[in-house]
Amino acid sequence: MNTRWFEYEIEQAGRDRVAHPDNMPFLLQPEQSNGCAVILIHGFSSSPREMRDLGEVLCSNHFTVYGVRLPGHGTSPDDLAGKAVEDWQIIIRRGYQALEEAGYRICAAGLSTGALLTLDLARHTRLEKIILLAPFLKLRHWLADHVGILSYFIRYQAKNIPAAERPFYYALRPLKGIVQINRLRWKLRREVHKIDTPVLILASTGDRTIAPGTAEDIYHRIGSPDKQIHIYGDDVPHGLSTENNPRQQDVLRRCLEFLQRD
């Protein structure tokens, strides 16, 4: 596979001053490929690191894996505030096109906002399967729908991030960025019924970011005749794919089994 497109993404990350290596995009290529590639898409104000463990599991089972770095991430909140949903879409579709040209069958998996971008990709391209981790059409915070107006008066929402996680997650989330999330989720609310790609949805009742029941809402709305959903309990947080989730290994297992099945 010609990896020039990925080398460009690495170069762009350098130009954007991504400092920590775990915040860089990643491309994992197994020694023996099964002919399938998986695009992994992280969430808002995070970085590719939160999808790396899933990527390693998939690669060890013969999948080629591309971990996207969404523009504005792994850099600074100010950088993210200046990005639009179209900037995120361009990067994802560039990777999709390169993998398609290389002859791979392509799947995608995303966490949170990455799940919305996975749905968006499925709406506009041919994907074999998709995995939605903590997807949402509604956020828990009661002011989320009004963030467009609020963003003119309040630049950032503060979030308590443990010291060990601060290199990988923004403690200040730009409201202008949440405006972009709203654009995406409102569009998908109108279009999700048109998506017929086989889908696995994983969520939890312990999620304090997305609205209760919103993952189930997507499950019922999506047009896929082949769809599965599993809801974890109160002990499972929003970051399903990360080591902070006590049920991480079960999440990784379910994802792998879904992608491996005929």
Side-chain angles (χ1 to χ4, degrees), residues 70-125:
L70 299 175
H73 293 79
T75 52
S76 70
D78 284 343
D79 184 24
L80 179 54
K83 298 297 186 289
V85 65
E86 288 81 7
D87 298 313
W88 305 337
Q89 291 168 329
I90 287 170
I91 294 298
I92 294 166
R93 293 179 191 178
R94 183 183 295 154
Y96 174 91
Q97 182 178 3
L99 294 167
E100 182 183 47
E101 290 175 354
Y104 288 103
R105 304 185 310 278
I106 305 174
C107 301
L111 172 63
S112 190
T113 299
L116 299 188
L117 290 163
T118 297
L119 285 169
D120 177 75
L121 185 64
R123 179 74 182 92
H124 296 97
T125 65

Side-chain angles (χ1 to χ4, degrees), residues 1-12 25-30 64-66 94-95 97-99 101-102 104:
M1 178 177 62
N2 185 339
T3 60
R4 179 55 192 151
W5 62 277
F6 179 71
E7 293 165 8
Y8 175 82
E9 299 301 339
I10 295 294
E11 293 167 2
Q12 184 61 53
F26 58 86
L27 180 65
L28 307 178
Q29 296 178 278
T64 296
V65 179
Y66 168 43
R94 183 183 295 154
Q97 182 178 3
L99 294 167
E101 290 175 354
Y104 288 103

Side-chain angles (χ1 to χ4, degrees), residues 14-259:
R15 288 190 290 270
D16 290 344
R17 299 183 179 179
V18 176
H20 200 290
D22 287 351
N23 291 338
M24 300 289 279
F26 58 86
L27 180 65
L28 307 178
Q29 296 178 278
E31 292 185 7
Q32 293 184 327
S33 172
N34 61 9
C36 185
V38 185
I39 299 172
L40 300 182
I41 310 171
H42 65 81
F44 180 73
S45 76
S46 178
S47 80
R49 175 180 177 267
E50 71 177 2
M51 303 300 286
R52 184 75 188 218
D53 288 348
L54 177 56
E56 296 284 357
V57 167
L58 296 179
C59 183
S60 67
N61 284 274
H62 311 294
F63 290 89
T64 296
V65 179
Y66 168 43
V68 176
R69 181 190 72 91
L70 299 175
H73 293 79
T75 52
S76 70
D78 284 343
D79 184 24
L80 179 54
K83 298 297 186 289
V85 65
E86 288 81 7
D87 298 313
W88 305 337
Q89 291 168 329
I90 287 170
I91 294 298
I92 294 166
R93 293 179 191 178
R94 183 183 295 154
Y96 174 91
Q97 182 178 3
L99 294 167
E100 182 183 47
E101 290 175 354
Y104 288 103
R105 304 185 310 278
I106 305 174
C107 301
L111 172 63
S112 190
T113 299
L116 299 188
L117 290 163
T118 297
L119 285 169
D120 177 75
L121 185 64
R123 179 74 182 92
H124 296 97
T125 65
R126 176 179 174 80
L127 292 172
E128 299 289 320
K129 297 176 184 178
I130 58 175
I131 298 173
L132 309 178
L133 305 176
F136 62 91
L137 292 176
K138 184 175 178 59
L139 290 163
R140 179 179 287 265
H141 200 292
W142 66 280
L143 288 174
D145 287 349
H146 309 288
V147 74
I149 295 173
L150 290 172
S151 66
Y152 289 101
F153 305 97
I154 303 171
R155 294 187 63 190
Y156 298 104
Q157 175 196 29
K159 186 175 181 180
N160 185 25
I161 304 293
E165 298 293 314
R166 288 174 193 163
F168 317 111
Y169 296 91
Y170 294 154
L172 295 176
R173 300 192 296 180
L175 266 64
K176 291 290 187 184
I178 300 174
V179 169
Q180 300 305 310
I181 295 175
N182 284 348
R183 290 181 58 209
L184 186 58
R185 67 185 176 96
W186 290 337
K187 176 186 175 185
L188 286 169
R189 185 177 295 166
R190 300 189 301 268
E191 297 187 351
V192 70
H193 69 281
K194 299 177 183 178
I195 298 171
D196 60 5
T197 309
V199 57
L200 170 66
I201 299 173
L202 300 178
S204 75
T205 58
D207 195 320
R208 295 295 176 262
T209 299
I210 65 176
T214 190
E216 294 94 326
D217 184 30
I218 291 174
Y219 175 80
H220 292 298
R221 286 174 181 257
I222 198 166
S224 310
D226 180 0
K227 54 186 177 180
Q228 303 176 29
I229 187 169
H230 181 78
I231 306 298
Y232 293 96
D234 291 346
D235 61 323
V236 173
H238 183 64
L240 291 169
S241 61
T242 71
E243 62 184 9
N244 293 328
N245 175 12
R247 303 295 302 281
Q248 183 199 36
Q249 292 307 307
D250 189 74
V251 169
L252 302 185
R253 176 187 62 80
R254 288 178 184 272
C255 292
L256 176 61
E257 290 178 353
F258 176 72
L259 293 176

